Amino acid sequence: QVQLVESGGGLVQAGGSLRLSCAASGRTFSSYNMGWFRQAPGKERELVAAISRSGSVTYYADSVKGRFTISRDNAKKTVYLQMNSLKPEDTAVYYCAAGGMLVRGYDYWGQGTQVTVST
């Protein structure tokens, strides 16, 4: 089992950058694929980016390709989401998740961190 705590959200102007962090507790962080999801008001939760256990494979939603970068440090039990060129439509609560498959099947979730992009 793993517990996840996100940080790094906040208010930023369009075109700006933020880096989200997700710190995990538990011994088995490196055995999980990790993902970042987001949910905007009135919309379904969507997978934004995911990274494999070793970090060698990544996935990005089309809406964030070229702007967001997911990475992980297994020694620090932390996964990151670097978000550049932010747009107002990136405004959402961002959740970190751990699971056995790269793009689905996530079992463990953090509490979420709010990202607000102003015009």
Side-chain angles (χ1 to χ4, degrees), residues 4-10 18-23 36 78-81 83 94 96 111-115:
L4 305 170
V5 179
E6 303 96 334
S7 61
L18 282 174
R19 188 174 85 152
L20 305 183
S21 298
C22 174
W36 283 99
T78 303
V79 61
Y80 305 97
L81 186 67
M83 306 186 294
Y94 283 70
C96 170
Q111 82 289 349
T113 186
Q114 176 71 46
V115 172

Side-chain angles (χ1 to χ4, degrees), residues 36 38 46-50 58-69 81 84-85 87 89-90 94 103:
W36 283 99
R38 68 185 180 188
E46 63 171 339
L47 177 62
V48 174
T58 56
Y59 163 87
Y60 295 97
D62 287 343
S63 58
V64 306
K65 280 181 181 176
R67 299 189 298 122
F68 289 13
T69 302
L81 186 67
N84 298 329
S85 303
K87 304 175 181 179
E89 51 263 44
D90 294 318
Y94 283 70
V103 296

